[in-house]
């Protein structure tokens, strides 16, 4: 796996399927560090590092989803080709769920072997509602939205040095989400697990349920207590949902 695009936070490489994790808007690969260490040890868990954050800070972040999806799908296709016998699955949270879904669609279009399952968290199906991110994307509006979702410690948002590092990626991601439009398409022949917090201020449970229409395979909906970033309080439950979604691959058949 290309070390520019993918990060591994476990000490060993599991010999089971690869789980590729896609971060939320403004997020970095490290958002999945704790989950990676909670998941079954036989999984090979890697997280995508988008440009414009952490060690890729000096790179320009994408301001549209399509070129980001193309770049990730290209790197992922090379990883699949390099290990054709290793199955893989995709996990995305919030914006990451949309990027994971569109990546799976692009891989299918290009004839790449399909993932075993999509885990789509904290995001409704693409047709459910337009992005709430509109307007000028000035710092005050961006920070107000981040505070509303309660996914970042207030001490970080009050730190000018931290803000200088994270705001460019946040603005770019929100702009990309604002410009995204679902234009329709055939459902994927890939099972889907949708995950959501029951108190998410941005995504009603019904919108997460709407992912059912985007697969011809099995569908499962996992509802957790909490808000948009429910994962922080339910690492074991989310890890269990992943293992349940990959039973033949993680010894739970």
């Amino acid at each position: 796996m290309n070390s520019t695009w993918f990060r591994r936070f476990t000490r060993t490489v599991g010999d089971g399927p690869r789980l590729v994790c896609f971060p939320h808007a403004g997020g970095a690969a490290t958002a999945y560090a704790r989950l990676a260490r909670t998941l079954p040890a036989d999984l090979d868990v890697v997280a995508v590092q988008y440009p414009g954050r952490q060690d890729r800070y000096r790179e320009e972040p994408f301001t549209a989803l399509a070129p980001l999806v193309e770049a990730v799908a290209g790197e992922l296709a090379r990883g699949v080709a390099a290990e054709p016998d290793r199955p893989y699955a995709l996990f995305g949270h919030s914006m990451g769920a949309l990027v994971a879904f569109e990546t799976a669609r692009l891989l299918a279009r290009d004839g790449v072997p399909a993932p075993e399952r999509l885990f789509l968290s904290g995001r409704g199906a693409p047709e459910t509602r337009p992005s709430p991110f509109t307007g000028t994307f000035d710092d005050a509006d961006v920070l107000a939205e981040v505070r509303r979702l309660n996914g970042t410690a207030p001490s970080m948002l009050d730190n000018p040095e931290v803000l200088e590092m994270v705001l460019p990626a946040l603005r770019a991601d929100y702009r990309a989400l604002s410009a995204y439009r679902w234009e329709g398409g055939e459902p994927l022949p890939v099972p889907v697990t949708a995950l959501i917090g029951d108190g998410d201020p941005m995504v009603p449970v019904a919108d997460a349920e709407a992912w059912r229409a985007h697969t011809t395979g099995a569908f499962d909906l996992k509802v957790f207590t909490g808000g948009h970033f429910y994962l922080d309080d339910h690492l074991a439950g989310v890890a269990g949902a992943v293992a349940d979604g990959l039973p033949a691959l993680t010894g739970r058949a």
Side-chain angles (χ1 to χ4, degrees):
M1 302 293 286
N2 186 325
S3 61
T4 298
W5 280 93
F6 301 101
R7 303 287 181 274
R8 184 178 285 109
F9 298 109
T10 53
R11 293 182 179 179
T12 60
V13 179
D15 58 5
R18 176 168 290 137
L19 183 70
V20 183
C21 300
F22 295 73
H24 57 278
T30 48
Y32 287 105
R34 292 175 63 212
L35 180 60
R37 295 168 186 140
T38 307
L39 286 162
D42 53 347
L43 285 174
D44 178 29
V45 185
V46 297
V48 180
Q49 186 76 301
Y50 306 139
R53 53 216 83 197
Q54 293 185 335
D55 55 339
R56 302 189 71 182
Y57 172 72
R58 297 188 181 279
E59 300 178 48
E60 285 295 318
F62 287 94
T63 56
L65 284 186
L68 173 60
V69 168
E70 290 174 4
V72 175
E75 295 297 338
L76 188 53
R78 280 186 276 276
V80 172
E83 295 184 83
D85 295 329
R86 184 192 288 270
Y88 70 101
L90 308 182
F91 186 112
H93 180 69
S94 197
M95 183 185 88
L98 191 57
V99 178
F101 172 67
E102 291 290 355
T103 296
R105 294 180 71 213
L106 188 55
L107 292 173
R109 185 201 71 182
D110 293 343
V112 178
E116 296 293 325
R117 197 172 191 98
L118 298 180
F119 298 90
L120 305 175
S121 167
R123 167 81 196 195
E127 76 281 4
T128 51
R129 62 189 60 215
S131 168
F133 310 122
T134 59
T136 60
F137 305 96
D138 61 59
D139 292 354
D141 289 343
V142 169
L143 289 175
E145 181 63 19
V146 172
R147 292 181 191 277
R148 184 174 77 94
L149 297 178
N150 198 31
T152 304
S155 59
M156 293 182 63
L157 298 178
D158 293 333
N159 186 321
E161 293 182 357
V162 172
L163 289 181
E164 184 180 359
M165 294 285 288
V166 303
L167 275 172
L170 272 169
R171 285 194 297 264
D173 289 351
Y174 284 6
R175 191 175 298 278
L177 286 168
S178 176
Y180 175 83
R181 296 292 182 273
W182 171 245
E183 298 179 354
E186 294 297 316
L188 291 168
V190 179
V192 169
T193 296
L195 307 95
I196 192 70
D198 61 3
D200 192 322
M202 190 166 66
V203 186
V205 172
D207 285 5
E209 170 75 28
W211 282 112
R212 184 185 300 271
H214 292 274
T215 176
T216 59
F219 177 82
D220 196 12
L221 177 66
K222 302 287 188 181
V223 181
F224 297 86
T225 57
H228 191 62
F229 288 97
Y230 71 90
L231 298 87
D232 295 338
D233 297 321
H234 295 284
L235 288 175
V238 173
V242 171
D244 289 344
L246 301 173
L249 305 177
T250 54
R252 294 195 176 193

